[in-house]
Amino acid sequence: MDIIVCVKQSYDVQQIKFDPKTGEPMLAGAPRKMSDMDRRALEEALRIREKVGGVVKTVSIGTPDSRDVVKEIYAMGADEAYILTDLKLEKADPDVTARLLSEMIKKIGNYDLILSGAASTDGYSWQVPAKVAAHLNLPFLPNAISINVNDAVMVDCDLGDAIYDYKAPLPCMVSVSLEINEPRIPTLSAILKASRKPFTEFHIKDFEVDLSPELEVISTAMPKVARKNFIVDASDASKLDEVRKIVDELRKENVI
Amino acid sequence: MEMEEKFDAIIVGAGASGLGAAYSLAKSGFNVVVLERGQRIGAKNVYGGRIYSHVFEKEIPGFKEDAPVERWVTGERLTFLDDSSAATLELSSDFSSENSFITTLSKFNEWLGKKVEETGGLVISGIKVDDLIIEGSTVKGIVAGEERLFADVVIDAEGVNPILAKKAGLRGDWNPHEVAVGVKEVIKLPESVIEDRFNLNHGEGAANLFLGYASRYGFGGGFLYTAKDTISIGVVVRVDSAIANRISVYDIVEDFRLHPYISKLIKDGSPIEYSAHLVPEAGIHGVPKLYGNGILLTGDAAGFVLNRGFTVRGVDFAFLSGVIAAETIRKAHEEGDFSASTLSHYEQRLKESVVFRELENFRKVPNLLSNLRFFETYPKLLCEILKDAYTVGEDSKKIYPLLKNKMRDRVSMITLIRDIISVVRNL
Ligand SMILES: Cc1cc2nc3c(=O)[nH]c(=O)nc-3n(C[C@H](O)[C@H](O)[C@H](O)COP(=O)(O)OP(=O)(O)OC[C@H]3O[C@@H](n4cnc5c(N)ncnc54)[C@H](O)[C@@H]3O)c2cc1C
């Protein structure tokens, strides 16, 4: 079984600081990590390989500072990693991303199954896997919470309203959700072995893909949490009524 | 699981000292690995804000062009604070004197990590070293979780809390008067506002140190550094003093931020980061045994930090001690012997280096700094005298009678003169 997994180096969303004034994320030099659902897709691929044999390859695209993801990919146990990085990809939208990924996959060729996370930890558009499947003309099974393969693929898909059992012929594309598995933590010896393993780099000029995004991001901001900011000067005894009012309010809202 | 591969050196901790050792060894073709328990390089490193550049320029080709410098320090200020006022000494120098710069330590260490990797060393984060493998009295490697890794020599660069060095019998715990706790806040402000407020040209930075109120008149001080579009402020207080004065380290930086002098400087800024860390401050008295069979101790783990009361300097010393450890290991490798007697070269070389020279020069500082007059009496006196001298009332005031009056019951003229002499001699 030849499996290709799409793996993104996303921002470590939990570590990102937001400009308290504008609410914009401060991305310059912000820490990165492998996208959570992609990590589970890779884990799933490795488990399938462990069961039925085969080869696990990965494809990644991003800005040059996302190259480190390869080390993690190899430390988890992938066989071959392919990556394309370019500063021009800073503004890549889901469509550009999906077209480049599918071009890379075509170039690598030879696959039975393509896996990816259902959405990336940072962009969270949920669009890339379906678009990749469309570009490659493959059946697409979204949001898998379990995958079984023999001659075909049997997938439990969580589509929100219910869990659907689907079956698709190979080759096909499956996107996985967070619940599918608990990914392995690479051992030190696996990390050491991985650290010098060579990988293949692709370049934008290898492909005829129009990089101009269809989507324009107008702003990215932290959700505003409205607070009531009600302060009572408790040193003044005449204000006690206000305190009582607050207590009543809080009771009403079941806070206390 | 046993590893077959044996390294030339295993380095515990990816701070400036561990990375300095790794960089220097990797550059000469040694097979080295740095293990860092933080999820990424730099994640666990905390400091004030300024790094002295000399050592880095010497060791890393193209340092100035390549390093993540945010501003070169051109303005130095020392400020004495009382509860509400401030008296400042200021030195502005020109841009050409580039000898210290302001940057974020996590970014700087991340950059050093990249340099190590470029030269062929391995830097692995997210791995905590739990123990040393000691056979007889010789360190043979490390234990991390279930795994064991072997090397000719282990460099212990684990920072101010050197658990492994204790296990190897090189050192004991710090005493409360030998360490300080530092608390720091990073405040975001537009680049141009910072430059206007501190009277800086583009790329220039200001370093401001504080005595008096900052440490609540206990042993320690405050600092302020202007980075590119952030200002770092913080307070360092010796642990014994914090305990004796029941100082809450959480409140102290808050109070410092709200002091009228500071709050003006950081007005309209928004806090984006908060951190706390220990600083060794025993000076040369705190330097432990630096080597054993198969092990060397570098950086904060060895107490290589200079605290002159108004500056804390450790990053360049950490890096240099790593470089000297690397030199020692090259020599040991040539001789094919990693026993304590060969590794003692490390201490010899350190003693000839700026690390020991500076620590020696300031040998008396920890004692001098034990004198509370520097943290309470003098900052308050200075602020009061200047306030009175500049307050225009019925009749003008002469400084000397003012001084005499203010000093009454607080400090004798003899003591003041003695203190001034000891400061001039030792700082
Ligand atoms: C508040 C404050 C202000 C300061 N201001 C300045 C300043 O302005 N200028 C200056 O030059 N110096 C300053 N210093 C001192 C300076 O920060 C230190 O001297 C320097 O960073 C020490 O470097 P190091 O490599 O020895 O240790 P560290 O930077 O502490 O690195 C040690 C590393 O080892 C890792 N580690 C520890 N144990 C293990 C383990 N078991 N397994 C794996 N990894 C481990 C830690 O996670 C850490 O990353 C300041 C310090 C403080 C606290």
Side-chain angles (χ1 to χ4, degrees):
Chain A
M1 170 96 21
D2 276 8
I3 309 172
I4 297 182
V5 191
C6 308
V7 180
K8 177 180 181 182
Q9 178 80 324
S10 73
Y11 286 103
D12 185 346
V13 174
Q14 259 145 24
Q15 304 283 331
I16 284 186
K17 297 190 186 94
F18 291 85
D19 188 320
K21 288 265 148 58
T22 62
E24 275 174 37
M26 304 183 341
L27 295 180
R32 305 284 196 119
K33 68 171 206 187
M34 191 192 292
S35 190
D36 295 330
M37 290 190 224
D38 292 350
R39 185 188 294 280
R40 282 156 177 83
L42 177 54
E43 174 67 32
E44 201 60 24
L46 297 169
R47 289 184 190 187
I48 296 171
R49 185 190 66 186
E50 278 153 20
K51 243 189 252 157
V52 304
V55 179
V56 173
K57 302 173 186 175
T58 63
V59 288
S60 307
I61 73 162
T63 47
D65 50 355
S66 54
R67 242 193 223 117
D68 279 353
V69 77
V70 171
K71 280 189 216 155
E72 245 180 304
I73 287 171
Y74 278 151
M76 282 182 71
D79 299 292
E80 292 168 31
Y82 297 80
I83 187 164
L84 185 159
T85 64
D86 199 302
L87 268 181
K88 287 195 211 92
L89 294 177
E90 177 99 57
K91 295 212 157 57
D93 67 358
D95 198 53
V96 172
T97 306
R99 270 183 288 154
L100 274 173
L101 285 174
S102 39
E103 287 303 315
M104 284 170 76
I105 292 170
K106 278 187 210 157
K107 195 154 218 165
I108 297 164
N110 239 2
Y111 50 81
D112 303 304
L113 182 62
I114 299 180
L115 296 180
S116 84
S120 63
T121 306
D122 51 4
Y124 214 60
S125 75
W126 299 78
Q127 295 182 38
V128 174
K131 282 174 184 273
V132 170
H135 285 301
L136 295 172
N137 245 326
L138 294 177
F140 173 52
L141 306 179
N143 301 0
I145 56 168
S146 85
I147 302 177
N148 268 300
V149 269
N150 34 47
D151 326 329
V153 182
M154 266 77 63
V155 180
D156 289 344
C157 297
D158 180 356
L159 298 188
D161 58 340
I163 311 284
Y164 293 76
D165 292 354
Y166 286 121
K167 185 174 175 180
L170 296 171
C172 79
M173 165 112 200
V174 181
S175 77
V176 312
S177 72
L178 276 181
E179 296 83 60
I180 193 164
N181 59 42
E182 196 48 56
R184 67 196 66 193
I185 296 165
T187 60
L188 177 55
S189 52
I191 298 170
L192 289 173
K193 279 203 205 95
S195 59
R196 285 181 175 134
K197 192 167 165 160
F199 56 94
T200 308
E201 284 206 70
F202 286 136
H203 304 279
I204 282 182
K205 62 173 167 32
D206 301 340
F207 308 107
E208 276 167 28
V209 171
D210 178 9
L211 292 182
S212 44
E214 288 176 347
L215 273 181
E216 183 194 350
V217 178
I218 296 169
S219 80
T220 315
M222 183 169 57
K224 283 211 179 72
V225 186
R227 301 198 184 277
K228 292 188 178 158
N229 285 332
F230 192 76
I231 299 173
V232 179
D233 180 2
S235 60
D236 184 349
S238 68
K239 295 269 172 66
L240 269 180
D241 271 353
E242 298 207 22
V243 175
R244 280 196 197 100
K245 250 197 272 168
I246 296 180
V247 173
D248 289 344
E249 278 297 317
L250 291 175
R251 286 231 166 89
K252 246 192 265 164
E253 299 194 16
N254 279 327
V255 180
I256 51 175
Chain B
M1 197 198 305
E2 292 286 324
M3 292 283 307
E4 298 128 47
E5 189 177 4
K6 184 182 166 197
F7 286 89
D8 292 327
I10 296 169
I11 296 150
V12 183
S17 66
L19 294 169
Y23 175 74
S24 179
L25 282 170
K27 216 166 55 169
S28 34
F30 281 61
N31 186 14
V32 296
V33 60
V34 185
L35 301 174
E36 165 59 46
R37 78 188 149 133
Q39 274 315 312
R40 57 183 61 83
I41 310 307
K44 297 233 174 218
N45 307 119
V46 174
Y47 88 140
R50 171 231 297 264
I51 297 176
Y52 291 87
S53 63
H54 182 75
V55 181
F56 297 98
E57 284 173 46
K58 198 166 147 229
E59 295 298 325
I60 306 176
F63 175 79
K64 272 193 176 166
E65 293 69 46
D66 200 21
V69 169
E70 297 194 21
R71 293 175 184 275
W72 287 95
V73 175
T74 55
E76 305 270 1
R77 301 177 187 186
L78 175 61
T79 301
F80 299 89
L81 291 180
D82 69 9
D83 288 10
S84 60
S85 44
T88 297
L89 291 170
E90 178 166 352
L91 170 74
S92 288
S93 59
D94 66 354
F95 203 38
S96 61
S97 64
E98 297 179 350
N99 76 21
S100 73
F101 58 87
I102 297 169
T103 189
T104 315
L105 188 59
S106 58
K107 267 191 219 150
F108 187 72
N109 283 344
E110 210 184 318
W111 176 81
L112 282 178
K114 288 261 172 312
K115 288 274 148 197
V116 172
E117 290 181 337
E118 279 168 25
T119 41
L122 290 179
V123 186
I124 294 173
S125 53
I127 299 285
K128 179 169 169 281
V129 173
D130 299 309
D131 210 345
L132 296 167
I133 303 169
I134 304 178
E135 288 173 11
S137 65
T138 304
V139 175
K140 296 280 185 185
I142 60 95
V143 181
E146 307 278 280
E147 295 175 280
R148 289 145 65 87
L149 220 58
F150 293 89
D152 287 337
V153 59
V154 171
I155 298 180
D156 181 350
E158 61 185 324
V160 66
N161 191 12
I163 295 163
L164 301 178
K166 278 183 246 168
K167 285 193 171 155
L170 295 178
R171 65 167 307 142
D173 281 318
W174 296 103
N175 290 311
H177 67 274
E178 292 176 328
V179 272
V181 56
V183 193
K184 169 178 154 170
E185 277 186 20
V186 178
I187 291 153
K188 192 164 167 57
L189 274 170
E191 226 176 311
S192 59
V193 171
I194 293 177
E195 282 162 10
D196 285 350
R197 244 173 236 180
F198 290 84
N199 194 18
L200 301 166
N201 291 320
H202 189 69
E204 294 181 345
N208 198 344
L209 287 308
F210 299 86
L211 286 177
Y213 179 79
S215 58
R216 288 301 186 74
Y217 311 108
F219 305 115
F223 57 81
L224 179 155
Y225 295 102
T226 60
K228 185 158 171 276
D229 55 0
T230 58
I231 292 180
S232 295
I233 61 167
V235 176
V236 178
V237 198
R238 221 165 70 186
V239 170
D240 59 340
S241 183
I243 297 171
N245 300 334
R246 296 169 182 272
I247 291 174
S248 144
V249 290
Y250 300 102
D251 294 341
I252 200 167
V253 69
E254 169 102 7
D255 290 344
F256 182 53
R257 168 156 48 75
L258 295 173
H259 188 281
Y261 184 80
I262 303 294
S263 64
K264 250 188 295 184
L265 292 173
I266 58 168
K267 192 170 153 265
D268 296 330
S270 353
I272 55 169
E273 198 181 303
Y274 179 91
S275 52
H277 204 270
L278 290 177
V279 202
E281 25 184 278
I284 197 112
H285 311 289
V287 174
K289 191 155 186 292
L290 296 169
Y291 56 90
N293 294 316
I295 185 166
L296 292 169
L297 205 55
T298 60
D300 275 11
F304 295 147
V305 174
L306 182 67
N307 180 359
R308 281 195 273 174
F310 48 85
T311 61
V312 179
R313 181 174 174 190
V315 176
D316 60 328
F317 288 176
F319 185 83
L320 182 59
S321 66
V323 169
I324 295 174
E327 214 174 274
T328 307
I329 289 168
R330 281 192 290 268
K331 186 174 151 65
H333 184 80
E334 266 167 37
E335 295 177 14
D337 172 38
F338 293 89
S339 69
S341 75
T342 314
L343 295 183
S344 68
H345 178 74
Y346 175 55
E347 183 164 330
Q348 271 167 30
R349 283 284 297 107
L350 270 170
K351 283 190 169 150
E352 295 153 23
S353 79
V354 61
V355 177
F356 265 66
R357 271 207 313 276
E358 289 282 300
L359 289 178
E360 274 294 341
N361 281 347
F362 297 102
R363 174 179 275 281
K364 295 225 179 74
V365 169
N367 288 330
L368 186 66
L369 293 184
S370 294
N371 176 349
L372 261 182
R373 286 187 296 277
F374 288 105
F375 304 98
E376 175 150 26
T377 317
Y378 298 145
K380 281 185 177 166
L381 254 182
L382 196 62
C383 288
E384 284 173 29
I385 290 167
L386 290 173
K387 242 188 299 187
D388 283 4
Y390 284 100
T391 308
V392 178
E394 298 270 291
D395 33 41
S396 67
K397 294 162 191 159
K398 294 240 163 45
I399 292 277
Y400 186 70
L402 252 176
L403 181 65
K404 243 172 88 178
N405 187 20
K406 292 281 178 197
M407 283 168 60
R408 190 170 303 143
D409 303 332
R410 290 157 97 175
V411 55
S412 73
M413 192 55 83
I414 295 286
T415 309
L416 174 68
I417 291 170
R418 219 189 273 139
D419 281 346
I420 291 176
I421 291 172
S422 73
V423 167
V424 171
R425 245 203 225 133
N426 293 302
L427 282 187

